[in-house]
Amino acid sequence: MASFLEDLLKKMQTAPHVGIPPVTNPKVPTKVERDAAEFAARQQATPKQDYGSGSSFDQLMKSIANSQHPTMRFGDPAFGNNGQDISEADFEKWDDLCVNFIEKKNADKAKRKHKSNNTLSVQDEQ
Amino acid sequence: MRQLNILSLNCLGGHIYRDLLKYPYGNPFIWTRLDNNDFIKLLEHYETIDFLNYELIKEGDRLDKFRVLIDDNIKIQFNHHRFDAAAYTPQRRGVDIFYNKIWEYIADIYEKRLSRMAKVVDLVAIDDWDDSLYIERMKEICTSKKYPLFICTDRLPEHDNDTIIIKPRVMHNGHGPGPGDIWQDYSTEIKRLLKIKGEP
């Protein structure tokens, strides 16, 4: 004679599972899988645009780089790019002009000083 | 009529001349920067300094840093005067001047403004963003020499009389005031020290 427990197990094995979705059936995609597939399809349909990392800073840097200014300039006079958008030969030319001007100024100053010293020594003698 | 002579160690003086008073610049220190020690030397020896004994100095290998050394002692930094090979005439961009012979321009404005500089000091205007010891020393010198003095600082107690006005810094959108804000915050006080009537 079958025990009560054996009968119960038999009933459980044969009973239909009504109303329970076959979530473990690999052939039917889950909701998560369906959503992921839908998202991937939408992504593929959207035309690709290059936003760098997506930040506005990247876009700003790109627009600066593409602008008509060959190099970036900043307020700090010591900034590396300032004044470097000329060729080395041109720079030498400007530098020579500058040095010559300063030397001429210094020579004028020395002359003035010499003249003033002479005037003072003449006054002393008188 | 002589020009007003306002001494400042940074751009505050430039803003007072240009934006508040709309007067011609009365000395060569406008839109320049002086180190604290140099400014103290300028105040201490103002009457005896030979301002005509100056030397233009190019600092470094580049054409971007120029200084004027006065009487072998006091150095003015021309931070708003820049070399630009493409600028065949002096070009103003904001407060900066660009020119491909900026060294000539600096020497020229130094001499022109020096020719207008009076022997009397009408105002010393200090925007404090540095060490309080320097501020104290500048105040001592101005007090002893009776130079009218305006200081915008939080380091010294507020003070207001005919010759010295010390006012606190007013915050602007969460930031400390720049020289361009200070003249607007205290235009009435600055004009009072300069004995100038009228609304800013």
Side-chain angles (χ1 to χ4, degrees):
Chain A
M1 185 185 149
S3 69
F4 170 76
L5 185 62
E6 284 169 339
D7 284 347
L8 183 64
L9 281 171
K10 201 174 178 182
K11 273 183 187 173
M12 283 171 73
Q13 280 167 359
T14 54
H17 296 274
V18 180
I20 301 171
V23 288
T24 52
N25 186 348
K27 286 176 188 172
V28 181
T30 63
K31 179 167 177 5
V32 174
E33 287 165 339
R34 285 198 308 274
D35 284 353
E38 194 186 319
F39 177 75
R42 214 168 44 229
Q43 284 285 91
Q44 222 163 11
T46 313
K48 276 191 179 177
Q49 286 185 10
D50 184 13
Y51 289 120
S53 69
S55 74
S56 54
F57 179 72
D58 273 333
Q59 291 176 50
L60 179 66
M61 292 301 282
K62 203 172 175 182
S63 72
I64 291 171
N66 291 337
S67 71
Q68 56 184 336
H69 301 288
T71 53
M72 289 189 285
R73 286 169 176 274
F74 289 91
D76 180 3
F79 179 69
N81 279 352
N82 283 351
Q84 287 297 307
D85 51 350
I86 52 174
S87 69
E88 205 167 311
D90 277 347
F91 180 81
E92 289 287 320
K93 188 190 86 181
W94 292 116
D95 197 51
D96 284 349
L97 272 175
C98 174
V99 171
N100 289 343
F101 177 81
I102 290 173
E103 278 174 3
K104 187 179 170 294
K105 274 270 162 197
N106 289 343
D108 290 348
K109 180 188 149 192
K111 262 187 220 166
R112 268 203 313 271
K113 208 169 185 177
H114 183 69
K115 203 174 166 185
S116 126
N117 285 346
N118 278 353
T119 314
L120 284 174
S121 61
V122 169
Q123 282 171 352
D124 283 348
E125 282 167 17
Q126 286 171 349
Chain B
M1 191 183 130
R2 72 171 179 83
Q3 303 295 335
L4 284 177
N5 189 12
I6 301 167
L7 299 178
S8 176
L9 77 170
N10 66 357
C11 300
L12 178 58
H15 283 288
I16 293 174
Y17 273 108
R18 188 190 69 180
D19 302 325
L20 177 62
L21 305 175
K22 298 179 174 42
Y23 283 7
Y25 302 138
N27 63 52
F29 306 103
I30 309 307
W31 303 119
T32 68
R33 175 89 175 94
L34 279 87
D35 285 342
N36 288 312
N37 282 323
D38 284 334
F39 193 64
I40 286 170
K41 278 187 249 173
L42 174 71
L43 295 177
E44 274 180 331
H45 306 289
Y46 181 77
E47 294 81 4
T48 53
I49 293 168
D50 180 3
F51 290 98
L52 282 171
N53 177 24
Y54 79 94
E55 193 181 331
L56 183 63
I57 296 169
K58 175 172 86 86
E59 284 193 350
D61 298 331
R62 308 167 57 78
L63 293 168
D64 290 329
K65 271 190 181 176
F66 289 95
R67 307 283 182 254
V68 163
L69 180 68
I70 303 169
D71 220 3
D72 302 321
N73 209 359
I74 294 167
K75 205 184 268 186
I76 317 179
Q77 305 162 28
F78 284 80
N79 294 340
H80 287 298
H81 298 77
R82 313 280 179 77
F83 170 75
D84 183 345
Y88 286 90
T89 55
Q91 290 174 10
R92 187 180 300 281
R93 297 172 202 160
V95 293
D96 293 338
I97 300 286
F98 291 83
Y99 186 28
N100 62 13
K101 290 178 189 164
I102 197 67
W103 45 90
E104 289 185 15
Y105 185 83
I106 289 171
D108 187 47
I109 58 162
Y110 177 83
E111 288 176 13
K112 271 185 189 158
R113 291 175 188 173
L114 183 61
S115 69
R116 292 199 285 259
M117 189 167 81
K119 289 191 174 171
V120 182
V121 174
D122 294 292
L123 178 69
V124 176
I126 299 169
D127 158 24
D128 162 33
W129 44 285
D130 224 319
D131 197 314
S132 57
L133 287 175
Y134 290 108
I135 299 287
E136 295 265 18
R137 182 71 191 123
M138 290 169 197
K139 187 184 162 213
E140 274 173 24
I141 300 166
C142 291
T143 307
S144 72
K145 295 198 165 200
K146 296 189 172 54
Y147 291 161
L149 172 66
F150 170 80
I151 314 179
C152 182
T153 182
D154 294 327
R155 299 170 197 271
L156 299 180
E158 210 172 323
H159 185 91
D160 194 331
N161 68 16
D162 285 348
T163 50
I164 296 179
I165 295 179
I166 302 173
K167 290 286 176 188
R169 299 163 85 236
V170 178
M171 296 300 277
H172 288 257
N173 299 323
H175 297 284
D181 300 314
I182 290 169
W183 73 265
Q184 297 182 72
D185 296 336
Y186 296 114
S187 58
T188 313
E189 288 81 358
I190 293 168
K191 281 190 165 187
R192 186 149 52 82
L193 279 176
L194 287 164
K195 313 267 188 300
I196 292 170
K197 304 253 188 285
E199 288 302 308

